[in-house]
Amino acid sequence: MKIRIHLREMNDCVPDWKMEDDSRPFYGLPVTNEKKCMGPENELTELLRRNRHGVLHGQTNHKALPAIFESKQTQKPESLLKCGDSVVNSSNFIDEEEATSWFQYSLDNSMDKELSEFFYGMPTAEIISTDKAMKEDSNVCTKKSCFHPHDNVMLSPKSSLGDSATVVKFSNHRKPRKADLVSENRKFCEEASSSEAVVGMADSSSLRKILSSVCGSNQAQNEAEVTHALSSVKGAKDSLSRSTLDHLEANTYEPAITSSSGGSRRSSTKHGLKRKGRNAEESEGQSEEAEYESAEANKAAQRPASGRRSRSAEIHNLSERRRRDKINEKMRALQELIPHCNKSDKASMLDEAIEYLKSLQLQLQIMWMGNGVAPMLFPSIQQYVSCMGNAMNHHSMTSIPNPVQPPKVSSDIQSTTLGTSISNQPHVCPPQGPNSINFATQMHNFHIPEQYSSYFGFPQMQMPPQVMNICTYGPQTMQQNQMVAAVDKQQHTNNKSSI
Amino acid sequence: MHSSSFSSAPPDHRRFTMSSRRSRSRHSASSRITDEQMNELISKLQTLLPEARLHTNDRPVTNANAAKVLQEICSYIRSLHREVDNLSERLSELLETTDNNSAQAAIIRSLLM
């Protein structure tokens, strides 16, 4: 992809970002005013801007953090958190270890001079996911949200972390050994604590979360290390950072907990430490989970064989959770598409979705008929024949004027009252009069669910008397007139005026 | 039958499910739905999809499938919306060309409104 090429061309530069409005939700791209921009990064900018809109649109409820975080430093953990979430949610696209190492580097390379390496290394994992995700709209948003940390990571001018871990060439070996990770973590956390940067603390905490959520218990040691550093760092921080941490923890605690079962007991006690300041609701439920986890962890530590099993169960749980999250995401998207859907539970929402979809299909069919038939109301004989042919095509769905036109609608039609009239159609049509009568009949025979009738308006229609008078009096048309009258009465009783 | 709230884990891992249900029960006061129920509903939705979008119908809807099916449903609904807009446009154009009092105009107006 083009993006990869461009990113590889990057050198030491920071893109020209500008600060986001405070009132925006945190997904907005955090940017600085520093002008160190350069060419190829504009593409990234574009992507990110597009991503922001996509993210804002598609995931409005997805673990929103409050917009109180003004400083660039605090935006970093948010985006990392978001990245953590998106990575957790999209493990199908990103290899877990890749994601781990990616995050590792994203945090370590928070220094400006290391941007080049970062960008150089980052896209490989990123682009893969982006490629795969291109086909699906909402997923693109999720994937591209991973771009976020780059901005923040690049743009922490105040971070006085100094020259922390050496940059491991991501491009050379994408799956560094865990020892490297641990050492880099430690170095990073130490420097963070020494510099008292909020970024550092939050980063290490989010790093720990991300690590724990993505890596699973194989990285238990790393987690323990990080949590050590984390707890030491935590002690020195002010309330703002604590609130940041709260939000981070509140959002990532669950995935973190589930994957830390392989870790030692120390990790679980660190979890207890971090529970300070958390709101009671979350902590209560999650402390129970922590206890479960620590119990599991103990068992796992004592019996390696069962530890392996519990680890695989953990991974299974993780993937299950990720799948659930994806499904919930899609459900929310579906809910947005359905008009006036105020249902909060899945079942009724899906029911409504089914009904809505059916009515949409019906509506479309009627409109197609109207489109083809209406201009032919008073045609010549020749036009009768041709437009009857058209109408028949629409009814039977054999010819699809629009590629989107659902062939399946024909099967649905069988289930509606329309089915009977359509099946009669082929037999009675040729000797009949104008199509208008058939059309009117079909329209009256449609039974659209009441709640949607206001959208479509068909059942409310009173067929103008002229149309009735047009019909030539064959036996079929007489029957149909009677049918129309009967249906009309029925429609009146059925449909309350929802105009 | 084990029931789970909107965002809880699958029934086999009861340990985690119970705690997660406890922690999340506050979030969703609405009725619980089983996995089978949901998969059934999603299968129904799948049957509504047109042939072109029905990549494999023989596989039953599972957790892994569900997201895909829901995705397809969403994009299908969006395309239907576009089609409705398109047709409405055409119908309104038609309306402009007909006599205002004719039956044809009445029909078209009813379609649009």
Side-chain angles (χ1 to χ4, degrees):
Chain A
M1 276 202 62
K2 259 192 231 166
I3 300 167
R4 188 180 305 183
I5 298 168
H6 283 287
L7 289 171
R8 278 178 193 248
E9 288 167 347
M10 287 188 199
N11 40 30
D12 306 332
C13 253
V14 177
D16 176 30
W17 307 109
K18 56 176 171 25
M19 203 45 135
E20 271 300 318
D21 209 5
D22 289 348
S23 57
R24 285 203 180 233
F26 99 98
Y27 311 118
L29 290 179
V31 283
T32 65
N33 286 325
E34 278 142 13
K35 298 227 168 230
K36 300 187 217 165
C37 181
M38 64 180 176
E41 297 220 6
N42 288 336
E43 288 216 11
L44 183 56
T45 321
E46 266 311 309
L47 269 174
L48 288 160
R49 287 216 191 90
R50 260 183 268 141
N51 171 40
R52 163 185 54 190
H53 294 304
V55 167
L56 281 173
H57 176 69
Q59 300 182 358
T60 45
N61 296 327
H62 185 60
K63 298 182 180 170
L65 294 179
I68 63 169
F69 304 108
E70 304 184 9
S71 70
K72 303 162 202 167
Q73 282 84 9
T74 54
Q75 273 165 345
K76 200 162 157 181
E78 294 173 34
S79 61
L80 285 167
L81 164 66
K82 184 83 168 71
C83 243
D85 282 341
S86 55
V87 167
V88 167
N89 289 338
S90 62
S91 67
N92 293 338
F93 301 90
I94 302 180
D95 186 39
E96 282 193 6
E97 278 194 68
E98 285 179 17
T100 311
S101 45
W102 177 61
F103 275 116
Q104 173 62 46
Y105 294 123
S106 74
L107 289 166
D108 282 346
N109 303 336
S110 57
M111 269 47 68
D112 290 351
K113 69 173 82 169
E114 285 155 8
L115 282 174
S116 60
E117 316 295 348
F118 176 68
F119 269 108
Y120 188 71
M122 171 278 298
T124 47
E126 190 56 28
I127 300 304
I128 291 169
S129 61
T130 313
D131 277 340
K132 286 185 195 166
M134 272 317 190
K135 289 157 195 163
E136 297 179 293
D137 294 338
S138 61
N139 281 338
V140 167
C141 301
T142 320
K143 293 310 154 297
K144 289 196 179 160
S145 69
C146 289
F147 277 111
H148 278 173
H150 308 171
D151 314 330
N152 291 322
V153 165
M154 290 185 288
L155 315 165
S156 51
K158 284 196 210 163
S159 86
S160 52
L161 293 170
D163 296 333
S164 81
T166 58
V167 178
V168 181
K169 302 291 182 195
F170 191 35
S171 57
N172 291 341
H173 41 276
R174 307 196 15 205
K175 303 185 180 184
R177 294 174 319 226
K178 288 159 193 161
D180 291 341
L181 284 178
V182 174
S183 62
E184 281 166 356
N185 272 340
R186 217 180 280 129
K187 263 191 270 179
F188 186 76
C189 295
E190 280 166 6
E191 281 167 339
S193 62
S194 64
S195 68
E196 289 193 4
V198 173
V199 177
M201 190 278 297
D203 279 346
S204 53
S205 73
S206 55
L207 170 63
R208 195 206 63 76
K209 299 282 181 333
I210 290 163
L211 272 182
S212 55
S213 65
V214 174
C215 305
S217 56
N218 284 335
Q219 304 237 351
Q221 270 189 347
N222 298 345
E223 284 181 27
E225 305 282 2
V226 179
T227 5
H228 264 306
L230 173 67
S231 53
S232 65
V233 165
K234 185 182 168 70
K237 297 318 158 196
D238 57 355
S239 60
L240 176 60
S241 49
R242 193 168 298 147
S243 63
T244 313
L245 190 55
D246 285 345
H247 287 289
L248 284 174
E249 292 173 351
N251 285 319
T252 58
Y253 198 71
E254 293 264 7
I257 289 297
T258 52
S259 56
S260 67
S261 70
S264 64
R265 196 172 242 280
R266 289 177 303 173
S267 314
S268 52
T269 54
K270 298 307 177 214
H271 294 166
L273 267 180
K274 287 199 297 289
R275 253 178 263 134
K276 237 187 281 179
R278 173 199 303 272
N279 53 10
E281 187 172 326
E282 305 262 10
S283 62
E284 187 185 321
Q286 281 147 359
S287 58
E288 291 163 353
E289 281 203 47
E291 282 161 17
Y292 278 126
E293 293 300 334
S294 54
E296 284 252 337
N298 280 339
K299 273 188 246 162
Q302 289 159 14
R303 286 183 282 136
S306 65
R308 242 177 276 127
R309 247 179 282 130
S310 70
R311 238 176 285 141
S312 63
E314 288 309 316
I315 294 175
H316 173 72
N317 224 27
L318 249 182
S319 53
E320 191 63 44
R321 203 176 286 271
R322 267 186 232 117
R323 253 177 269 144
R324 294 245 142 223
D325 286 341
K326 264 195 1 183
I327 289 176
N328 291 343
E329 190 186 315
K330 306 286 186 249
M331 295 276 289
R332 269 178 246 131
L334 184 58
Q335 192 176 23
E336 282 173 17
L337 283 176
I338 297 176
H340 298 95
C341 180
N342 53 355
K343 305 284 188 300
S344 51
D345 60 334
K346 280 181 176 176
S348 62
M349 208 214 76
L350 284 175
D351 281 332
E352 198 154 323
I354 291 173
E355 275 183 42
Y356 179 63
L357 193 48
K358 284 191 192 160
S359 13
L360 254 191
Q361 288 171 339
L362 274 178
Q363 176 196 16
L364 271 176
Q365 178 162 35
I366 294 176
M367 289 179 89
W368 272 114
M369 276 199 297
N371 219 348
V373 169
M376 302 299 174
L377 262 187
F378 302 97
S380 64
I381 303 285
Q382 273 179 331
Q383 280 168 319
Y384 275 177
V385 176
S386 60
C387 72
M388 261 195 277
N390 284 341
M392 290 314 301
N393 281 340
H394 283 302
H395 293 175
S396 60
M397 295 299 165
T398 48
S399 74
I400 300 176
N402 185 318
V404 176
Q405 192 76 13
K408 282 244 169 204
V409 179
S410 55
S411 61
D412 281 343
I413 292 166
Q414 302 307 315
S415 61
T416 67
T417 53
L418 176 61
T420 53
S421 50
I422 282 187
S423 53
N424 289 335
Q425 199 72 28
H427 309 295
V428 301
C429 217
Q432 257 187 347
N435 265 346
S436 61
I437 289 298
N438 305 335
F439 179 62
T441 312
Q442 312 317 326
M443 300 230 343
H444 278 284
N445 284 343
F446 277 113
H447 173 60
I448 298 172
E450 286 224 14
Q451 61 193 132
Y452 296 121
S453 57
S454 56
Y455 303 124
F456 307 151
F458 306 144
Q460 319 306 331
M461 183 187 81
Q462 224 1 332
M463 278 309 295
Q466 303 101 304
V467 181
M468 299 306 185
N469 294 337
I470 285 168
C471 68
T472 59
Y473 294 96
Q476 294 92 357
T477 45
M478 282 302 292
Q479 278 176 9
Q480 284 196 342
N481 278 342
Q482 286 164 12
M483 228 163 55
V484 167
V487 171
D488 212 358
K489 281 189 202 145
Q490 191 193 3
Q491 292 286 340
H492 275 298
T493 52
N494 280 350
N495 297 311
K496 304 145 194 157
S497 82
S498 47
I499 300 174
Chain B
M1 185 85 71
H2 170 78
S3 65
S4 44
S5 62
F6 200 93
S7 49
S8 65
D12 9 329
H13 307 283
R14 282 185 205 273
R15 242 180 308 208
F16 309 105
T17 314
M18 269 157 47
S19 53
S20 63
R21 201 184 345 150
R22 230 175 300 160
S23 64
R24 299 202 207 234
S25 60
R26 299 150 225 249
H27 298 276
S28 59
S30 47
S31 63
R32 308 291 162 87
I33 177 176
T34 67
D35 279 346
E36 282 96 275
Q37 236 183 318
M38 199 173 84
N39 286 340
E40 195 185 314
L41 286 173
I42 295 188
S43 312
K44 262 201 230 169
L45 275 176
Q46 196 179 27
T47 60
L48 289 175
L49 284 175
E51 291 286 337
R53 290 173 191 259
L54 213 59
H55 299 295
T56 42
N57 200 12
D58 42 351
R59 281 190 237 147
V61 175
T62 62
N63 250 354
N65 282 355
K68 192 81 181 180
V69 175
L70 286 175
Q71 172 75 34
E72 287 295 331
I73 290 282
C74 286
S75 64
Y76 180 51
I77 290 183
R78 280 190 212 108
S79 68
L80 285 186
H81 282 171
R82 280 197 300 269
E83 197 176 337
V84 167
D85 293 338
N86 188 18
L87 279 178
S88 304
E89 230 181 275
R90 286 165 69 168
L91 280 175
S92 59
E93 284 170 14
L94 269 180
L95 187 59
E96 287 166 13
T97 63
T98 67
D99 312 328
N100 230 356
N101 295 326
S102 71
Q104 179 180 348
I107 292 176
I108 296 178
R109 246 180 256 119
S110 65
L111 282 174
L112 286 173
M113 284 164 291

